[in-house]
Amino acid sequence: MIGLIIISHSKQLADGLLQLAEQMQNKQNCQIVIAAGVDDEQHPIGTDAIKVMEAVEQLSDAEHIILLMDLGSALLSAETALDLLDPELAKKVHLCSAPLVEGTIAITAAASSGATIETILNEAHQALHAKQQQLNDKVDTSNQQPTQANVFTHQALKTQWVVRNPSGLHIRPAAKLASLLAGFDAKVELHNNDKRADAKSMNQIALLQVRKGDKITLIAEGSDSQAAINAFKQLAQHNFGDDITTSDDKYLIGKAAMLPSVTGFAYHKPVNTEFSLPTYQTSEQEITKATQALEQLQSQLATLADSLSQQYGKSISDIFNGHSLLLDDAELLESIKQQIISQHRTAAEAIMSVFADMSQQYQQLDDTYLQARYIDIDDLKNQLLLLLSATNPLNPALTEPTILLADNLGPLELMRYKDTPVVGIALSNGSPYSHTCIIAAKMGLPMLVNLGEEIQSVPEHTKLTLSADSATLTMG
């Protein structure tokens, strides 16, 4: 983890800069602390060496700590703080001469992507170059290391994208792209016409001056080249993290799961907001209920897997067989039993608690494919609660081409719409890596995810066109 300390004469300036940096901060890799102003209500402008020292001590767990200063006396305070620190801690500290605003953003973006300290400091020192080039200022390159042009072989992979962002690849999307690609074992280069840049460097991406409508090309080569290309495509489909919708545009932007466009009428998936669950009886009875619900759902999953194997193949049936194996886990049942016995919870309460913990654990994983499995866990939990409450899920009587709208959708929930006139699915949340997306693709249902909460305001029965090619849901 890298620590960054913003040392400024003005606390308001430092607070504003911190707020800006937080837009691209990964707190696991980069922690930011401010040491700004002095504790004098009448004369608050200034710097305090003690504040700087305390800020460094606050970040003592960091591998490296970068101090970024605004004006001359801020440097004096930083140097004084170093003299006051424990010598071992002082060895971690780097005084950086980069400009305060540009340097903060460059350091935050590079550190958040997991870059080395050498790369981070180099990014900071070059932070002004994009602005200087845009304003045709002379850039002093005497101290820069010559940049080696990447040489790609015939094995390199390539993809193109027409940028839709109204402001092009400005600082935030450039930081998101660099941070995303930094984690892949591949050399990646971004081209904009005859300009090229290291796609792992926010500053170099900014130098490309990519504007709306520009066709950019990403080239990748290395062991992770295909993964880097796929990740780039996903981020590009989501406009590099920018919300490009406006009040004049009646469409929402999401991520595509497959390519066709379909038209249908909006239908919001009913939500079982309340389950009619029985009250607590005895521990033995609650354990019996939980065990029976698990076994009953396993049986349903096995039947479903067999039928889907004939229709969609083994890969789809294996998803539900995997769910059945998860429910057959002795440790899972033991956790539910412990909740019932030690906390006197009902079978339903114990299942909700155990599955909620499991879902949270998946959501915290770094691997996007594994992370998406939380949707399966939530889906299984809801099915178990339906069984315990003896509640029949609401099955719609749809008679015309329909676009199904929902917050999220599990694989088992999707199966309820298998023999209905649903022609497409649009979710406000979800994941393009979910089993639901995989199954929907096999079923021939185009699907968009991560459309945002605006989807909830789409009026029922509105005519919609879902285009997974452009990742848009158009109303009217």
Side-chain angles (χ1 to χ4, degrees):
M1 186 265 285
I2 300 296
L4 170 62
I5 299 175
I6 301 171
I7 305 172
S8 173
H9 284 64
S10 168
K11 186 177 184 302
Q12 287 181 314
L13 173 61
D15 285 338
L17 186 51
L18 175 61
Q19 186 178 17
L20 181 63
E22 286 175 339
Q23 298 297 307
M24 54 206 70
Q25 180 188 14
N26 177 345
K27 293 185 178 180
Q28 289 185 332
N29 294 338
C30 178
Q31 290 290 326
I32 308 174
V33 174
I34 63 172
V38 294
D39 296 329
D40 184 341
E41 292 184 2
Q42 298 300 318
H43 305 92
I45 301 298
T47 57
D48 183 344
I50 300 300
K51 280 190 175 183
V52 177
M53 180 190 72
E54 291 173 344
V56 173
E57 290 174 340
Q58 185 177 338
L59 294 172
S60 61
D61 290 338
E63 186 177 357
H64 297 278
I65 303 169
I66 302 171
L67 272 55
L68 203 57
M69 297 73 64
D70 59 0
L71 300 172
S73 60
L75 175 57
L76 179 61
S77 293
E79 291 175 331
T80 303
L82 284 181
D83 293 335
L84 299 173
L85 286 168
D86 178 276
E88 289 302 312
L89 179 56
K91 289 179 182 178
K92 296 183 177 184
V93 176
H94 304 262
L95 301 183
C96 183
S97 62
L100 189 67
V101 176
E102 290 85 352
T104 295
I105 300 307
I107 291 168
T108 303
S112 293
S113 71
T116 64
I117 186 63
E118 292 78 16
T119 299
I120 294 168
L121 292 174
N122 185 55
E123 285 281 287
H125 289 136
Q126 296 184 36
L128 270 181
H129 291 175
K131 185 190 292 183
Q132 289 172 320
Q133 181 171 307
Q134 193 166 356
L135 296 175
N136 295 317
D137 284 355
K138 291 183 179 180
V139 180
D140 181 10
T141 60
S142 59
N143 293 323
Q144 293 182 36
Q145 296 296 322
T147 301
Q148 297 293 324
N150 280 319
V151 178
F152 293 95
T153 72
H154 68 281
Q155 294 180 328
L157 302 179
K158 181 186 297 186
T159 188
Q160 291 185 319
W161 179 258
V162 177
V163 174
R164 303 183 298 205
N165 304 50
S167 300
L169 294 189
H170 58 93
I171 191 74
R172 188 170 57 247
K176 283 186 177 292
L177 179 56
S179 178
L180 173 74
L181 295 178
F184 293 102
D185 183 14
K187 58 182 179 181
V188 285
E189 195 170 81
L190 192 66
H191 291 201
N192 183 26
N193 294 321
D194 58 345
K195 295 180 180 179
R196 60 186 62 194
D198 180 354
K200 295 182 180 181
S201 167
M202 181 193 71
N203 287 324
Q204 290 196 36
I205 293 173
L207 287 170
L208 291 178
Q209 297 181 40
V210 177
R211 307 188 189 282
K212 182 180 180 181
D214 286 351
K215 180 184 283 187
I216 57 177
T217 302
L218 184 77
I219 303 175
E221 185 169 12
S223 60
D224 288 344
S225 57
Q226 186 61 64
I229 291 287
N230 292 342
F232 171 83
K233 287 180 178 179
Q234 290 292 343
L235 188 63
Q237 286 282 359
H238 210 48
N239 301 299
F240 303 96
D242 271 0
D243 179 6
I244 71 170
T245 59
T246 68
S247 57
D248 296 328
D249 296 325
K250 293 184 177 180
Y251 62 86
L252 303 171
I253 304 299
K255 297 178 181 177
M258 55 182 299
L259 295 181
S261 295
V262 293
T263 299
F265 295 97
Y267 174 79
H268 289 271
K269 180 180 77 70
V271 178
N272 291 305
T273 54
E274 293 184 5
F275 295 102
S276 177
L277 297 169
T279 58
Y280 180 84
Q281 296 177 321
T282 66
S283 294
E284 291 78 9
Q285 289 172 311
E286 296 302 327
I287 291 172
T288 298
K289 290 179 188 176
T291 304
Q292 289 176 344
L294 289 167
E295 291 174 348
Q296 188 176 349
L297 185 52
Q298 286 180 63
S299 176
Q300 292 178 3
L301 287 165
T303 302
L304 180 61
D306 286 342
S307 65
L308 294 177
S309 180
Q310 299 290 328
Q311 191 171 4
Y312 299 118
K314 186 175 183 296
S315 62
I316 299 303
S317 66
D318 281 349
I319 292 174
F320 295 100
N321 282 326
H323 291 171
S324 182
L325 288 173
L326 186 150
L327 296 177
D328 196 33
D329 184 1
E331 187 175 338
L332 173 68
L333 180 57
E334 186 60 30
S335 297
I336 294 171
K337 287 181 179 179
Q338 287 301 318
Q339 292 263 348
I340 292 171
I341 295 170
S342 63
Q343 300 185 38
H344 298 289
R345 287 182 163 174
T346 65
E349 291 169 339
I351 285 172
M352 281 191 284
S353 175
V354 170
F355 276 76
D357 288 345
M358 199 187 315
S359 174
Q360 188 64 30
Q361 289 170 13
Y362 273 96
Q363 291 179 60
Q364 291 173 352
L365 295 175
D366 292 331
D367 188 305
T368 51
Y369 289 92
L370 289 176
Q371 187 184 75
R373 299 302 165 254
Y374 85 89
I375 298 170
D376 301 50
I377 301 301
D378 290 346
D379 192 26
L380 291 171
K381 176 193 68 178
N382 290 334
Q383 300 307 313
L384 289 168
L385 293 177
L386 285 170
L387 290 172
L388 286 168
S389 65
T391 302
N392 291 320
L394 299 171
N395 291 316
L398 303 174
T399 59
E400 55 191 347
T402 299
I403 304 292
L404 178 65
L405 308 179
D407 174 53
N408 213 334
L409 192 71
L412 283 166
E413 290 180 310
L414 174 62
M415 289 298 100
R416 293 184 201 145
Y417 299 90
K418 185 166 70 73
D419 298 317
T420 70
V422 169
V423 295
I425 301 167
L427 306 180
S428 57
N429 290 304
S431 166
Y433 307 110
S434 69
H435 281 145
T436 308
C437 279
I438 294 171
I439 298 168
K442 272 288 188 181
M443 294 171 64
L445 294 176
M447 183 170 172
L448 295 180
V449 300
N450 291 356
L451 283 160
E453 297 305 317
E454 295 93 338
I455 198 174
Q456 306 299 336
S457 62
V458 175
E460 195 83 4
H461 208 257
T462 301
K463 188 176 181 181
L464 301 174
T465 298
L466 187 156
S467 171
D469 187 20
S470 60
T472 57
L473 181 68
T474 307
M475 289 161 264

